[in-house]
Structure formats: C-alpha cells, structure tokens
Amino acid sequence: MSIALEVKDIVKKYGSQTILDRLSLNMREGEVLGLLGPNGAGKSTLMNIMCGMIESDGGTATFYGKKYVDIEDPGRKIGVMLDPTWLDSRITAESVLKIQALRLKLDKPNQVVDKVLERVDLSHARGKKVSGLSLGMKQRLALGVALIGSPKMLILDEPVNGLDADGIVWVRDILHTFAKNGGSVLLSSHLMSEVEQTATRVAILNGGKIVVEDEIKNLSTDENTTEFAVSGDASRLLNMLNANRINVSHDQKEDRYTASGVKPDLLFAYAVQSQTVLTYLTLKRSSLENVYFDWLDKTGHRARA
C-alpha cells in the first residue's frame, strides 16, 4: 500500500514557543487516520500547514509526492474541510457549492451541485443563506465543498462538530465508503469514541511530536491481560491461577474474569488442566479514550486535555 501523505520534520514556532517540533507522519492509501491530541497540541496548525494555509518553519508535507501548492487543481485531488466559519455567510448553500464547482471547472456544474446537496442532505436548504444555517448544517455544507471535486483524499478537522447522533453516523458511513473505494482520510476529532469507530489507524500528537502511531486494534489490545468466563464452578481454575501468581478480578455484573499477566493460550491451558469449561476467552481491550489518556499521563500533559 503506497504512501498518500508524507509529513517529514515539520517545525512551527510562534515567538519562543515551539508548536510542532520536527513532527513526522505518514498516511497510506485507503486508510482513515485519526489525529488526536489535547487542546493546543497543534492539530489544526498541522493541517493548515499541510494545505498551504500556514507556512512552516521547517520540514515538508507532500501529497502523492507533491506539496499542496504544487498540485494542479488540488481540489479535484484533495478535499479539505478545516473550518466551516470560512463559508461566505451572505450567499446561499447552493451558491457556495456552485462557486466551488465553477472554480474547479467541473463538467455540468448544476448537476454536480444537485448531487452534492443530496449527498450531504441539504437539498431542502439549498436556497438558505449560510448565515441562517445551523452549525451542523454548515458542517455538512463544508463537507460538501470538500467532496464536490471527487477527490482521492480528504483532510477533515472536526467534521462531526455540531452534528446530532444521526449526523455523526452519516459522516462515519461516508468516510467508510470513501476509504473502501480507495480514498484516504486524515481526520481530526475530539470525540475519541467516534474516531475509534471510524479510523483504521490513529496518531496521538503531544508536545509538538507524534507520540503514538499505530492501528487502533493494536493500541486497544493488552497482550498480557485476558478476559474469560466459565460454565459452572470456577474455583479450580481460580486456585490454579492464584498458585501461579496470576492476579484475577471478577466483574459480577457481567460474570466475567480478568487475568493479568497471562495470554489467552496459556489461560486456556490452565482451564484444560483444571477441567474448567470456558464460555468466553479473549485479549482484554481498552477503549481508545483510555489509551489516549494513558499516553498523556506518560508525557505529563493530561491536565491540558
């Protein structure tokens, strides 16, 4: 799988403060990469640098090997949604999309606008001025602007901000379909539960650097902690685990056990030896939120989140 986005040694300073400190990051084709970090970590600054809105003090960001400003008709290749407040509040939702369609020199712009309005569920509001749209509707419109050129990549900063539950699921479905069709998505969000359900990989930005970058399934799995449930009496298995100095806790509500310091294959062997029937056995999984805060704790920045 080839690299769609390569960020290498990006530096950004404001006065004596270093916001981004030789930050490097890659995104592959066909993946949804979630970008997380506490407030002020530099997520929006990084995205603006990528898209040529802010100059960096060092380093490079390239899309398919080219800087954003060097790409011919970049809106046809990279859909960008950084801040819906840039939308011209004096014109209608339809006009916003039509201007973008004309700027990108799209064929049959009126038809394209109709399809995008339908896709982002704003056909009923096409004649409304942007100033009269709710925050969620502005988010949908801004996403429509990003999608109108049929790009290969999306750069989205807080795309579900202001959306209700149905709107959040709608965005998730759009992004999953986009990635399934070979597109790439860089997604910044403070809703970690949503990133966990939407992204395939996550990068945590803290202290001006990427401190974690891995697939979510790897981050949320503790390879040395096992969850299990039994049929009938668990005492023989529990006594054996205790004799081998394996700590076990019991969730009475779920009637499941958590064993620390043991992998499922070894626990299964203990169950066979103790003649205990297991009804459930898996590696323990942590929520992305727990993983996120664990890393902030390690780097001493949890209070800023």
Side-chain angles (χ1 to χ4, degrees):
M1 194 177 294
S2 59
I3 299 297
L5 167 66
E6 183 176 21
V7 177
K8 188 173 181 180
D9 295 331
I10 289 289
V11 175
K12 184 60 184 177
K13 297 181 179 181
Y14 290 108
S16 61
Q17 185 178 10
T18 300
I19 305 299
L20 301 174
D21 185 9
R22 297 181 64 84
L23 183 147
S24 295
L25 175 70
N26 289 329
M27 181 168 70
R28 299 183 290 266
E29 288 185 328
E31 77 172 354
V32 180
L33 176 61
L35 182 62
L36 300 174
N39 293 333
K43 301 186 298 298
S44 296
T45 298
L46 176 61
M47 288 182 158
N48 276 279
I49 289 173
M50 290 176 183
C51 299
M53 306 295 291
I54 298 175
E55 287 191 14
S56 70
D57 297 309
T60 58
T62 56
F63 301 89
Y64 309 103
K66 292 184 178 181
K67 292 183 179 180
Y68 185 89
V69 295
D70 294 332
I71 298 173
E72 185 178 356
D73 295 327
R76 284 176 173 250
K77 300 176 178 67
I78 305 161
V80 177
M81 177 183 169
L82 298 181
D83 184 355
T85 61
W86 66 265
L87 296 169
D88 191 335
S89 63
R90 301 167 298 177
I91 61 178
T92 65
E94 181 179 16
S95 296
V96 168
L97 292 173
K98 194 165 187 178
I99 289 171
Q100 182 71 351
L102 293 171
R103 189 178 73 81
L104 297 178
K105 300 177 183 178
L106 302 181
D107 295 333
K108 301 179 180 179
N110 290 334
Q111 292 182 23
V112 172
V113 169
D114 288 343
K115 288 181 180 179
V116 171
L117 283 168
E118 183 177 354
R119 187 176 184 183
V120 299
D121 196 23
L122 286 178
S123 295
H124 65 287
R126 64 188 308 144
K128 279 190 175 183
K129 288 186 176 182
V130 173
S131 60
L133 301 179
S134 66
L135 176 58
M137 294 170 76
K138 289 178 182 176
Q139 290 286 96
R140 289 174 181 266
L141 180 58
L143 184 56
V145 172
L147 290 167
I148 198 168
S150 300
K152 296 167 60 179
M153 182 187 298
L154 294 173
I155 306 294
L156 309 177
D157 193 5
E158 300 285 357
V160 298
N161 187 32
L163 296 180
D164 59 17
D166 288 341
I168 291 174
V169 172
W170 169 82
V171 169
R172 185 195 310 157
D173 289 343
I174 282 184
L175 299 186
H176 281 163
T177 300
F178 186 85
K180 188 179 295 184
N181 291 330
S184 308
V185 183
L186 179 62
L187 166 70
S188 168
S189 178
H190 67 281
L191 296 176
M192 280 171 282
S193 60
E194 185 54 34
V195 171
E196 189 167 13
Q197 296 182 70
T198 304
T200 51
R201 201 159 57 92
V202 68
I204 299 178
L205 173 58
N206 201 16
K209 298 178 181 291
I210 299 296
V211 295
V212 180
E213 184 180 354
D214 203 346
E215 293 184 19
I216 287 181
K217 64 180 181 180
N218 295 334
L219 289 173
S220 61
T221 300
D222 185 344
E223 293 186 353
N224 291 309
T225 302
T226 297
E227 291 184 327
F228 67 95
V230 304
S231 175
D233 184 15
S235 60
R236 292 190 303 273
L237 174 57
L238 296 178
N239 289 337
M240 183 173 290
L241 294 174
N242 182 58
N244 285 276
R245 299 182 179 180
I246 296 171
N247 294 322
V248 179
S249 60
H250 184 210
D251 183 338
Q252 293 186 352
K253 183 177 180 181
E254 298 290 335
D255 196 20
R256 287 183 181 176
Y257 298 86
T258 299
S260 301
V262 60
K263 295 182 178 181
D265 55 351
L266 181 56
L267 194 137
F268 180 76
Y270 284 135
V272 172
Q273 189 175 349
S274 64
Q275 298 182 336
T276 303
V277 177
L278 298 175
T279 58
Y280 179 80
L281 180 68
T282 187
L283 285 172
K284 180 176 174 59
R285 302 188 68 86
S286 299
S287 69
L288 182 58
E289 182 174 282
N290 289 337
V291 173
Y292 172 80
F293 283 119
D294 283 346
W295 276 99
L296 290 191
D297 286 339
K298 289 179 183 178
T299 52
H301 286 78
R302 179 162 183 168
R304 294 176 55 196

